[in-house]
Amino acid sequence: MWRRGRPLALGLVLLLVVPVLAAGTALRLNYTGELREGTKTRGKDAIWLGHAWVDGRKKDADLTAFAARIKGTGIRDLYVHAGPLEHDGTLPADRYPRARWLVDGVHRTMPGIRVHAWLGDVLASEGPEGLRLEDAGSRAAVVASARQILDAGFEDVHFDLEPLHSDDRHYLSLLDDLGALTRARRAPLSVAAHQIDPLPAAHTALGVVTGGSEKWWSQEFFGQVARRVDQIAVMSYDTWMPLEGLYGGYVAQQTSLALEVTPEGTDLLMGLPFFHEDDLGHHENAETVAAAVRGARLGLGRTDPGRERFGLALYVDFAAEEGDWAAYREGWH
């Protein structure tokens, strides 16, 4: 029986292994080549900041130190965690008691820097608990929360809703409603975005294998989102990549895929891993800032080197180390 079964077993192994090896080789090759001249910061970078900036833990001295930290970089936008939203889309006002202190302090110490309220919640897309975008009342409450946060003094609003499955029409409807509000208030609408299918229909295949969990968006859906917002930041980390060369090639690929469908009038930012963990989704020795910066520059240079509305987004301030800041400055400035 073993002899008769060997060809079948070998065939199954090849069916699984060969595509993985081919994809890995392609990503590694994608990380090679010369960096194109001019693929440096455009002064449109961003950083996600933790909740300590609005709950009273941060003081004037912290603000002064942070202003010195980002001086001379391309950072223009601060995504300051002011949530999370409740599962019904509402936002208790006591979650951001020091918002006015922060906004006024940033304007005083960092002229030209914009302060976004970073709002988000877990979606009930893969479990019973969370925000339900299919509920019209919940979507209306999210819009009301955005209005509330703008009234509190924030200049912009940045949404991060996860896990958000590809082709979610309710999310697109929410963005349409949010866009109507932010345009009327002359406030940019910004979102954090999932990664794009590295292979056609990869999100569908993963959903079948995992029983509903999806990691990627289709490129078409990414473009639909990008056309509805002023700024879109790709969460190009937690990629499962085990080696630095593979991760850098993956970021280069993601950058090209995103550039292809992001309108010229929308800011496109690629996320950098300013944090250090080792688990199935993120290997800190592979997902380095240096590899992400080089990958983003390679993708930009190959796809749209003249794109001005392009930048990097740093996740996250409270987990960053000196080496992360150094790699960002050295590779992108």
Side-chain angles (χ1 to χ4, degrees):
M1 281 183 67
W2 165 239
R3 287 193 183 121
R4 289 197 299 272
R6 274 189 297 182
L8 177 59
L10 179 61
L12 289 173
V13 169
L14 291 176
L15 186 64
L16 294 172
V17 173
V18 170
V20 172
L21 290 177
T25 301
L27 289 179
R28 186 62 186 86
L29 290 174
N30 211 28
Y31 192 54
T32 61
E34 295 296 320
L35 294 171
R36 185 156 178 167
E37 189 71 25
T39 53
K40 297 269 188 167
T41 185
R42 277 93 162 107
K44 292 178 172 58
D45 300 338
I47 183 169
W48 281 277
L49 300 179
H51 203 79
W53 288 98
V54 292
D55 67 6
R57 283 176 286 169
K58 294 290 188 180
K59 309 300 180 184
D60 288 346
D62 298 301
L63 199 59
T64 300
F66 182 72
R69 166 73 78 184
I70 69 169
K71 186 177 181 180
T73 71
I75 292 176
R76 178 190 62 173
D77 294 312
L78 310 180
Y79 304 146
V80 185
H81 191 264
L85 298 167
E86 293 290 292
H87 290 342
D88 62 0
T90 58
L91 178 66
D94 61 4
R95 295 211 170 138
Y96 48 90
R98 295 269 281 168
R100 178 54 67 181
W101 165 83
L102 176 65
V103 174
D104 290 346
V106 168
H107 289 168
R108 183 181 66 256
T109 60
M110 295 168 264
I113 300 296
R114 305 188 303 190
V115 186
H116 302 238
W118 166 17
L119 301 179
D121 190 22
V122 174
L123 297 178
S125 53
E126 297 178 7
E129 298 295 324
L131 177 66
R132 297 185 179 277
L133 292 180
E134 68 272 19
D135 186 299
S138 295
R139 296 198 304 274
V142 172
V143 175
S145 294
R147 183 181 298 107
Q148 172 186 325
I149 210 75
L150 293 173
D151 289 342
F154 286 97
E155 301 161 274
D156 321 285
V157 61
H158 172 82
F159 279 95
D160 177 13
L161 301 172
E162 304 179 46
L164 180 58
H165 289 183
S166 187
D167 309 317
D168 189 324
R169 61 185 179 86
H170 302 297
Y171 181 60
L172 298 180
S173 176
L174 173 62
L175 292 180
D176 289 338
D177 294 339
L178 286 168
L181 167 67
T182 55
R183 285 192 299 274
R185 300 288 290 266
R186 297 185 178 179
L189 174 58
S190 173
V191 296
H194 287 28
Q195 297 154 31
I196 301 173
D197 281 339
L199 297 170
H203 70 280
T204 302
L206 182 63
V208 171
V209 171
T210 62
S213 177
E214 294 184 14
K215 180 178 177 63
W216 301 290
W217 287 353
S218 71
Q219 190 183 36
E220 180 183 6
F221 182 67
F222 187 98
Q224 291 173 339
V225 173
R227 289 192 292 273
R228 286 170 163 83
V229 299
D230 301 290
Q231 185 182 77
I232 187 166
V234 184
M235 295 180 286
S236 39
Y237 40 78
D238 293 337
T239 64
W240 305 339
M241 294 296 148
L243 301 172
E244 189 174 36
L246 296 180
Y247 173 63
Y250 183 84
V251 173
Q253 181 204 46
Q254 288 291 309
T255 302
S256 293
L257 290 171
L259 283 167
E260 288 170 358
V261 293
T262 301
E264 291 285 347
T266 299
D267 292 339
L268 171 63
L269 282 66
M270 301 304 296
L272 298 187
F274 262 42
F275 64 99
H276 298 266
E277 296 175 0
D278 249 314
D279 52 37
L280 180 62
H282 176 88
H283 302 285
E284 64 174 321
N285 291 331
E287 294 192 13
T288 65
V289 173
V293 172
R294 177 177 171 81
R297 291 185 63 187
L298 286 168
L300 177 64
R302 292 166 181 158
T303 311
D304 194 356
R307 175 80 66 116
E308 282 301 314
R309 303 190 70 163
F310 182 87
L312 302 178
L314 290 47
Y315 182 86
V316 56
D317 73 309
F318 56 79
E321 298 179 356
E322 287 298 326
D324 301 324
W325 284 103
Y328 162 63
R329 285 180 176 271
E330 292 167 8
W332 187 233
H333 297 85

